[in-house]
Amino acid sequence: MTKSKASVCTPDQQRELLRFMLMAREFDTAMLRLYRQGKAFGGVYSQLGNEAVSVGSAYALDRRNDVLFPMHRNIGGHFVFGQSLDQLMLNHLARNGSQMRGTDGTGHYADPALRIYGNVSHLGAMIPVAAGFSLADKLRGITTVSMTYIGDGGAQVGEVHEALNFASVHKLPLILIIENNQYAYSTPNSMEFACENLSDRAIGYGMHGVTIDGTDVELVYATCVEAVDRARRGDGPTLIETRTMRMRGHAEHDDFAYVPKELLEQWAKKDPVETYIALLDKRKVMSRDEATVLREQILADMIAAIDRALEQPWPNAEEGLKNVFMSEQVGG
Ligand SMILES: Cc1ncc(C[n+]2csc(CCOP(=O)(O)OP(=O)(O)O)c2C)c(N)n1
Ligand SMILES: [Mg+2]
């Protein structure tokens, strides 16, 4: 794994990276609390420990021209791409007035104006879509970098192979980030794959691949900047494996008793938000006190957005059935 060198970011960028990571962290904490209060339903997927990946990667894109296809642990990327706290809360609390009109409680929405295409639930199926976006634009003579994500478990699905091979053959400007957070639900890495690094597969596709520490936001950012440059030059896709730890269960219903405590304790020391706060303090870019003030301000904004979202009505049943497609053959 490559280690982080001197900062590649200006002081303003460093403060912005921390702000986005804090937004992701506070959003996550708020969702876990809302779930326990019975106000959030279904799968609440924590991205605790993954903030540096979602923020550092999306931050490397040009959000007016590139496209982001986030997965279920990438809330940070939504913020980087300009999604409002209100829309995210409305979506996650399944209220009317959200892009999903209350039919979903996670990030399965698309916001074409913001160039965010939220996740296709079927693991692996979103990568061909992201590659297709870049292909369609390439055929029109436009270079659009598509960035998408897959977990260590999802990376074993067949469509991932097809999409990467296709993207490499056609030199598409695609960046795939494999978020290796050690587990896919209760399945550990050792039961998922037998190679050392998931990025080792890149050579088989004839593309560039690298494995990095996913808790280091500037390293993620710098690695993705290189990948974006490669894509814009016409040199094809990049496969980036980020190593992190899933610090909660698969979703909040899962007590993750199958994860050894020592492993969690070990990774807790590498908390991407806390280590970045300490680093910015050391560099005199932002003191700990300033970081606390920023965090409190973000928390206050979050609470206000939750209050506004909870005031919104639920969707009525008829509304919920609109735009839901099924074959006429189903059921008879
Ligand atoms: C093709 C497919 N199989 C199973 C599922 C159900 N499922 C959703 S997330 C998940 C675990 C994914 O693990 P991983 O890819 O490592 O991502 P993580 O949740 O750890 O971030 C499973 C089994 C699915 N959505 N799609
Ligand atoms: Mg995983």
Side-chain angles (χ1 to χ4, degrees), residues 219-233:
L219 177 61
V220 174
Y221 169 70
T223 307
C224 290
V225 166
E226 276 176 29
V228 168
D229 288 348
R230 183 174 301 114
R232 291 209 208 292
R233 283 197 307 268

Side-chain angles (χ1 to χ4, degrees), residues 140-155:
R140 289 196 286 249
I142 307 166
T143 301
T144 300
V145 179
S146 300
M147 180 177 275
T148 189
Y149 306 81
I150 190 82
D152 44 286

Side-chain angles (χ1 to χ4, degrees), residues 152 181 183-184:
D152 44 286
N181 60 8
Y183 283 84

Side-chain angles (χ1 to χ4, degrees), residues 45 72-73 121-124 150-155 157 179 181 183-185 192 246 250:
Y45 303 95
H72 56 299
R73 305 201 195 274
S121 220
H122 308 78
L123 300 174
I150 190 82
D152 44 286
V157 169
E179 298 171 307
N181 60 8
Y183 283 84
Y185 216 123
E192 294 169 345
R246 199 193 68 203
H250 171 65

Side-chain angles (χ1 to χ4, degrees), residues 286-307:
M286 185 187 273
S287 71
R288 278 183 183 279
D289 286 349
E290 285 167 327
T292 303
V293 170
L294 176 62
R295 192 171 206 152
E296 281 166 1
Q297 186 194 321
I298 287 168
L299 186 60
D301 290 346
M302 202 73 60
I303 291 167
I306 293 168
D307 288 345

Side-chain angles (χ1 to χ4, degrees), residues 1 50 52-54 57 149-150 152 176-182 198-199 210-216 219-220 223-224 239-245 267:
M1 286 206 274
N50 199 50
V53 175
S54 62
S57 56
Y149 306 81
I150 190 82
D152 44 286
L176 175 63
I177 300 186
I178 302 183
E179 298 171 307
N180 183 352
N181 60 8
Q182 318 299 319
L198 287 169
S199 65
V210 62
T211 291
I212 58 168
D213 178 355
T215 64
D216 179 340
L219 177 61
V220 174
T223 307
C224 290
L239 182 62
I240 301 169
E241 177 191 10
T242 57
R243 296 261 177 94
T244 55
M245 177 69 202
W267 281 91

